[in-house]
Structures are given as structure tokens and as C-alpha cells.
Amino acid sequence: MTRILIAAAGSYGDVAPYTGLGVRLREAGHDVALATHGSFAPLVAAAGLRFRELPADTDDQRRADGRGELLRAAAGFVRALGGGLVDAAVRGTDLLVLSTTTAPLGWQLAEAMGIPSLGAYLQPAHPTRAFPPVVGATRSLGGFGNRVLGGFALRMVDRVYADAVRDLRVRLSLPAATPGRVRARQERAGWPVLHGFSPAVVPRPADWRAGLDVVGNWWPHHDPASGLPPDLDDFLRAGPPPVFIGFGSMAGGDGERLSELAVQALRAAGLRGVLQAGRAGLSASGDDILTVGEVPHSLLFPRVAAVVHHAGAGTSAAALRAGVPAVPVPVTADQPFWAGRLASLGAATDPIPFKGLTAPRLADALGRAVREETYARSATGLARTMAAEDGAEQVLKAVERLA
């Protein structure tokens, strides 16, 4: 039995998919713990995995205003994260499975403990000619420009992790080394990274090195015996499929404006709606509108007509999995990248940037997403392709090769 520690940090969408991955590894006979923030302890427990707490949360980053402030907040976040990751790993670990956020920290641990590790990423993080960096770039600069900008983005990441890596290497009695030097060493060694998204959505770039693979999604765990809340199930049965509107962990404190906007757009388009409260605190009610809390996307999305979302990696994939068209409203980080992908594949309307969201724009996009059949056809075709993929199984095979 291999003792596996999965380390994931960030928002709900950054963590939830690893519960399903952990369950697959546990069912194969491995002893699995998931290290993440305390707020996700119930999520981990519900999946039957052991929980290891990581400090820090992303509130400071969400509140940061300006590039310099954001970089300082991110550096503080990962510095706290590093110490918690050591505490989690020393409780007994034979192999580390690392997310995009935790990998630069986990490399130091793997080196000090003499154990293998692999990356299980939800976003493409390596430079490529095929597209610009998924965070911070809004358009392609051509092959050469994309790759140069990708390299620059990694150097910025190394700056964010500099203090955390220095502290970790001192604590673990490792010789001094910069994040960039450690990263280069991992690249030369062909450190394996499995990317948890569909190659039909983002094909594997031809210029990636060996060991970087795109294997398909792994999905958040939910009890197969559970169903939707009775009031939601009743609402879905009471009329035509509604539109789902939710912004996940984005748009905190903007709930009143977004709720009014959503209601106006739905009624202008003549559609029923399910609003997910989320961090924004969306709330509205009526015969044609219901507000819900956290519910499994895998149960709800197949029963809606379209999904309005912030275009996080997990929600974008969940809408495609359900074969449902989307109206992406990206807010920050990698969300513009995924929003653009959905639109380019014909499974979503053109993105509406969050700052430019208005009721008339949303109503127009909803009308097209629901009533123009090309969007549903594209989403359904992608759903069929994704149904044949099993990213968790590919991670399991990689784990067992290393173990």
C-alpha cells in the first residue's frame, strides 16, 4: 500500500476535482490523504479521504488591488502554504501528487524526503508556441511571442515562490537553490505532469517535452446514492429546463447587483433560472427563479438549458461534460483562457468580460445560447468525446509506475 499525499490549494474549483482523483487512487488500494485548506475538510471527509490541513486562504489575493499588491499577497499565501505542506507530508508519505499551485513547494519536499512526485495539473502551465500563458495574456502573440511570454510568466511565478522556497530549503536542511534553478532541474529530469483536461478542449502542444501529457478530466467526488435537494428537483420538474447562473468563488460582495442583473436578463429572455449563491451571494426567488447553495454540477447541469459561469477550469469542463451550452463571464486568472476555448469550440457564446456584464448583454447571449442549436450540438459532441476519457485512470497508472 502506497501512502499518497495529494496537495491542492486555492478556491473550490482548484480543490474539488482532487477528491474524485483521491477516491480512484484509494479504490485501487492506496492510502490517500488530501492536503488542502480547512474550509474543505467536509469535502475531503465526504469522499472518504484522510484530511491534512494547509494554512492560508485566497482572501488576501482577491482583495489585492494592483499588480504589486497582488504579487505580495500571492507570495504571502504560498509562504504560509509551504510550512503547512511540510507538516502534512511528514505524517507519513511515500509519493506526492502536486497541483499547479503546490508543485514548486512539493519539489523541495520530495527532494528532502527522497520520495517520488508527479504533477496533476488542471491548467497548462508550460510555455508553448500554441497559445499564450493561461494567466495574464488575452491574445496570441504568434508562436515565438507565445513561447517567450510563457517563459516570462514562469519567471514571475518563481518570484512569487522565492521566499517560500528559501524558507523551505532552510527548514528541510537542503542546500540553497532558487525556484528557477529547482524548476530547471525538474525539467531536465523530465518530471511527469498529467493535465486534467480534455485534449478535445486543449490539444497537447506539439512543442511540449516528453512527460507532459493531456489525459482528460478527473471530477469532483459525490455520493452516487445522493440526489438534488427536493426543492431544486421540484423546480426543475415544474417547467422547461432553466438556465443556471453562478460565479463560484468569484465576485464576493457583488451579490445584490448581480442578482438584479440576472433576474432582469432571464425575464427579458423569457427563461427560468437557477441562481447559485456562491461567494457573490446571489439571491432571488419567484415562480420562475430559485436560489440554491452548493450542488453537484454533474447532477444539475444535464437538466438545464444553458450555464452562465465565470469560466473556471472545473465549471467549464462540467458544462461540457453535460453537453450544455455556456455563456462565459470570465473574471480573472485563467478564466479568460477557458472562456475563449469554449467559444472557439462553438460550445459557448462569445465571452462577456465580468466588468462589462449588463442585463441586456446577458439576455442577448442567453437567447442565442438556448435557441440557436449550433451551441448545443457542439457541446453535445464534446460531451461524447469526454465521456470516453478517464483522466483519473491515467494518473493512477502513473502513480503505480512511480510507486
Side-chain angles (χ1 to χ4, degrees):
M1 180 187 295
T2 302
R3 296 172 298 175
I4 300 171
L5 180 67
I6 302 172
S11 67
Y12 178 90
D14 298 313
V15 174
Y18 293 97
T19 60
L21 178 59
V23 168
R24 178 65 66 87
L25 298 175
R26 187 198 66 210
E27 290 174 346
H30 301 291
D31 181 8
V32 184
L34 176 52
T36 189
H37 312 302
S39 57
F40 299 122
L43 196 69
V44 177
L49 306 174
R50 291 188 293 110
F51 173 71
R52 298 284 182 267
E53 185 166 4
L54 297 181
D57 59 37
T58 56
D59 283 351
D60 288 344
Q61 294 178 75
R62 293 192 187 99
R63 289 192 292 265
D65 183 15
R67 180 177 173 183
E69 187 178 338
L70 180 61
L71 290 176
R72 285 192 294 273
F77 169 71
V78 299
R79 197 171 185 178
L81 205 60
L85 192 55
V86 173
D87 295 335
V90 297
R91 294 172 64 178
T93 303
D94 301 317
L95 186 147
L96 290 169
V97 176
L98 303 170
S99 71
T100 316
T101 305
T102 60
L105 305 170
W107 293 335
Q108 325 306 319
L109 273 174
E111 179 183 344
M113 299 173 69
I115 60 175
S117 66
L118 63 84
Y121 288 6
L122 300 179
Q123 301 89 5
H126 288 73
T128 175
R129 296 175 61 87
F131 44 79
V134 300
V135 176
T138 57
R139 61 184 180 86
S140 175
L141 300 178
F144 177 77
N146 287 343
R147 192 162 182 98
V148 168
L149 192 58
F152 174 77
L154 287 184
R155 290 192 294 275
M156 294 298 293
V157 170
D158 291 339
R159 282 182 56 187
V160 169
Y161 282 83
D163 290 344
V165 168
R166 182 195 62 228
D167 292 352
L168 270 181
R169 295 188 74 83
V170 169
R171 177 175 176 179
L172 297 169
S173 300
L174 294 170
T178 64
R181 182 179 173 188
V182 176
R183 182 186 299 278
R185 191 162 59 209
Q186 297 296 109
E187 290 300 298
R188 288 194 299 270
W191 188 65
V193 181
L194 288 82
H195 294 83
F197 47 80
S198 173
V201 178
V202 182
R204 182 188 184 278
D207 58 349
W208 271 4
R209 65 163 171 83
L212 304 177
D213 296 310
V214 177
V215 299
N217 294 82
W218 42 87
W219 304 100
H221 171 77
H222 75 270
D223 182 352
S226 67
L228 293 172
D231 60 336
L232 175 55
D233 187 65
D234 290 344
F235 180 79
L236 293 170
R237 294 176 185 274
V243 168
F244 171 92
I245 300 178
F247 297 95
S249 59
M250 298 290 108
D254 209 11
E256 184 175 353
R257 181 184 74 86
L258 289 174
S259 299
E260 293 177 0
L261 186 155
V263 171
Q264 292 171 16
L266 287 166
R267 289 178 175 161
L271 298 166
R272 303 198 310 149
V274 172
L275 307 187
Q276 186 175 57
R279 186 177 180 83
L282 297 184
S283 180
S285 61
D287 292 341
D288 57 344
I289 294 173
L290 179 72
T291 300
V292 299
E294 193 64 50
V295 295
H297 290 163
S298 58
L299 297 182
L300 175 57
F301 283 6
R303 299 178 64 181
V304 303
V307 177
V308 179
H309 60 77
H310 60 294
T315 311
S316 297
L320 290 177
R321 183 191 193 189
V324 178
V327 177
V329 185
V331 182
T332 187
D334 61 334
Q335 295 158 18
F337 173 83
W338 296 110
R341 285 281 157 172
L342 295 180
S344 68
L345 293 165
T349 61
D350 289 338
I352 304 174
F354 180 76
K355 291 183 178 179
L357 183 64
T358 64
R361 289 187 74 178
L362 181 56
D364 176 69
L366 281 174
R368 288 184 286 111
V370 172
R371 298 182 176 107
E372 295 181 17
E373 295 182 1
T374 55
Y375 295 110
R377 279 201 299 268
S378 296
T380 300
L382 286 163
R384 284 195 293 266
T385 299
M386 294 169 70
E389 300 167 351
D390 191 345
E393 179 66 18
Q394 298 308 310
V395 176
L396 172 61
K397 290 178 179 178
V399 162
E400 295 187 335
R401 285 194 298 271
L402 288 173

